Amino acid sequence: MPPLVLRGVRTRNLKGFDIAFEPGTWTSVVGVSGSGKSSLCFHTLHAESQRRFLSAMAPAARVLLENIPRAEVDSVSGLLPTLALEQGAEPSGRFGRAVDLAGLDLVLRSLFVARAHAVSPSSGKALRAWLPDEVSGHLLTTCEGARLQILVPGGTIPAQEWMRRGFVRARSATGATELSELADDQDFEVVVDRLVAQEKFRERLNEAVGLCFRISQGHCRIELQLPDGSSRLEAFHDHPVCPDTGREAPNPSLGLFLPVPSQNGESALNPDALWYRLGGRTVAELLAAPFQDWLSWLLTTGLAEDHDPAVIEMERELSERLFCLESLGLGYLEGGRPGSQVSLGEFHRLRLAHITGFPLSGVCYVLDEPSTGLHHRDAKRLDAHLRALAEAGNTLVVVEHRLRELHSDRVLEIGPGAGALGGNLVADVVPARLSETSGASGTFLRSAPPKRPAVHQGDWLRLSGAHGRNLSDAAIDVPMGRLCGVCGPSGAGKSTLVLDTLVPALSRLLDWRSRAEGLPFGSLSGWETLAAVERIDPGDEAVANPRSMVASLAGLLDPLRSLFAALPEAKMRGLGPERFSPNLKGGRCERCQGLGRVRVDLPYLPVSWTPCPICAGARFSREVLEVRLRGRDLGQILSMSCEQALQEFSLHPKIARILSPLVDAGLGYLPLGFPSQDLSGGELARLRLCARLSGASKPHLVVLDEPTCGLHPQDTLRLVALFSALCARGHTVLAISHDPVLLSRCDWLCELGLGAGADGGRTLLQGDPWALAEANVPSAASLRSELFGGVEKDDLLPS
């Protein structure tokens, strides 16, 4: 297979270099945030593959190609089909359940439709649907020689109608009789046939039972006169029916086993799905169990030895996907856990399992930080999974920031800086030679380790006795005014302790209007000095809003509007501040409604955006754009980077006070009008923190979940400096993280463990990073690699 070659790549800030990827290899792409990694991997390689796919579709679909911006590249050869995993998925993707996010839902429902057995929800008795020859075989085996009377309910059809159809006899409460002798109001059953249970009458018995099923909607009753003189009635149905209640089981279909909306906004299983079991379990019981239990359950189903090749293939796919979830450290997750209760790291890895869980061959996987939310101890299984994909003949292009733990065949570094200062191919080496390069990665790997923090002498926020979900009397101590981290294996309960217990409890105490519902705990003290608790969430409404941009999140849009409205040209035209808003009618471009771009929905492909054909991305009407400040209209101002804007407005105190922290935090390359939906988690975290720095406020507890997601270690150090500036102003920062670069720079850490799910939920140790590095806890090895400059052998964990 020829190599995949990109020549003259100039997408966004890339500087026109050539690059080749050999089939069956694993390439890591590193570099500081904004250097051009996504421009190469997603906006060139993956985007061009999408275009080729769309061009092969029907002519009507190819018309959509006109609306997709083309990657700027001289030529592409050896292009493969691509499957991509990007950070920053739409928040709506977190609705549903873990089983949906992992891609298990359809195959699970299909298996239940094909092979599940009906049971009575009230009694638990197994039910079955009978075929006529199965009824005959049952009777000839269990009661050979008995006299049989095959009956069908008379129903609402009068006796005369049954007689017209050729039937003669009936059975009523008074015994056997002729149909002609029945009273008009008398209940009866029609005798379809009478015979002896002998092999020579098998075909006749088959016909009689089949006739009953056809004329009575699948019901048949047989009266047996046994040789010993006793008698009994047996009922048979061609569909499952509960003998206790008489209720008929619903027809097994894909829709029967689907989630339906519930009152709390989450999804709930259709209650009729409880009629069916596979391997002794209902779908509801499976969804309540962790994925690691599904593998043992699958062995009890016997599906691997099924005679139907389609069923065997579905069983294999389910098994492969479950093994993938285990390798990604997600075996502890319950299949039915709502997406809203899944951490960001878990969400990212569930999406990774979705696209890689049933591996293909001969495709190119383009992955953005697949290790997001994964503990150092669990990352080895991820690396083994990625290696297996490459060995299966796939090409892997992976954006990574784990510089000390790269196990790929090759490392590309894009840089050396961000924005206009990036876009060059800085290094192309094997992982072992990365520390020798001159780029940001090599510089970080050669840098000195951090210094140990001073002992805290101030106040403490303390929560104890937390016991929600898998927590077991967990506790956390937070030194006020310091940078604190919560670490431990994936699934140990970090998000449960901080986001679902501590944050809601503080919200209710600090704001009487809050209706936050948290998990149970024992006691909480030391909160009185806080003014508020603020969680920075990449999935909140402000970020999810397609109108949101860097300028609005940073609080810059309002002073810019006021500045333009105060210009003589604006006053002469009667344009107030509201006319300079891209969100309101009167000043915005109505074609794109102030977004500056138009959404393009593509069949089979992710949503795409194209510049607005009317305003060309400027967002505003022609009248508004005619008002200029120092020769620039508001659309041009929003297209400037934060660094350019700071130079332009250095003499405007309010605007400069907002922009300065952004530039100091390494976000100077971001345009003011850059959509917030396209920000990485790390960029968003820094942007929100800078907004907090630019305003004066009383002490807050600022809580973040995986704030270094999408950040190069050099950018992480800038983020740490931003945290330190917040702490210097009296705020307290609490971050959930697996990143040893961030954790080693914290003043205080709380480690949960020992494992995931039921094996976790306990507070193992609290102290500064040195205390954890010297202890026998899961995070010790990764902390030592940062604090002491070398990777040591993992400790054996206590039993």
Side-chain angles (χ1 to χ4, degrees), residues 345-407:
E346 290 167 340
F347 175 58
H348 191 62
R349 282 178 286 139
L350 283 169
R351 292 171 57 226
L352 176 63
H354 196 165
I355 67 171
T356 67
F358 193 56
L360 304 172
S361 180
V363 303
C364 179
Y365 288 98
V366 185
L367 310 176
D368 192 357
E369 281 206 278
S371 61
T372 296
L374 198 61
H375 190 265
H376 164 81
R377 193 181 67 177
D378 302 318
K380 295 177 181 178
R381 291 183 291 180
L382 169 64
D383 292 335
H385 178 65
L386 296 180
R387 177 56 63 190
L389 289 176
E391 291 176 351
N394 300 296
T395 302
L396 272 66
V397 180
V398 184
V399 176
E400 264 292 5
H401 294 302
R402 297 182 301 157
L403 301 185
R404 301 192 195 276
E405 302 176 50
L406 295 175
H407 296 90

Side-chain angles (χ1 to χ4, degrees), residues 4-7 9 11 38-56 65 68-84 364 366 605:
L4 195 167
V5 181
L6 307 175
R7 299 189 183 279
V9 184
T11 306
S38 294
S39 298
L40 172 64
C41 299
F42 296 99
H43 302 122
T44 302
L45 175 55
H46 179 50
E48 190 60 23
S49 177
Q50 285 184 317
R51 285 185 59 84
R52 300 284 177 94
F53 170 78
L54 198 59
S55 66
L65 283 170
I68 304 178
R70 192 182 189 94
E72 295 185 49
V73 57
D74 290 342
S75 66
V76 181
S77 61
L79 189 63
L80 300 171
T82 57
L83 292 173
C364 179
V366 185
L605 294 176

Side-chain angles (χ1 to χ4, degrees), residues 122-147:
S122 58
S123 66
K125 294 179 180 178
L127 309 178
R128 65 173 296 179
W130 293 86
L131 295 173
D133 60 339
E134 291 176 335
V135 175
S136 301
H138 168 74
L139 294 173
L140 292 174
T141 302
T142 59
C143 53
E144 187 177 7
R147 300 182 66 85

Side-chain angles (χ1 to χ4, degrees), residues 131 143 242 258 261 313 356 368 370 374 387 546 565 650 746 752 781 797-798:
L131 295 173
C143 53
C242 176
L258 191 68
E313 180 66 13
T356 67
D368 192 357
L374 198 61
R387 177 56 63 190
S650 59
C746 286
L752 297 183
L797 296 177

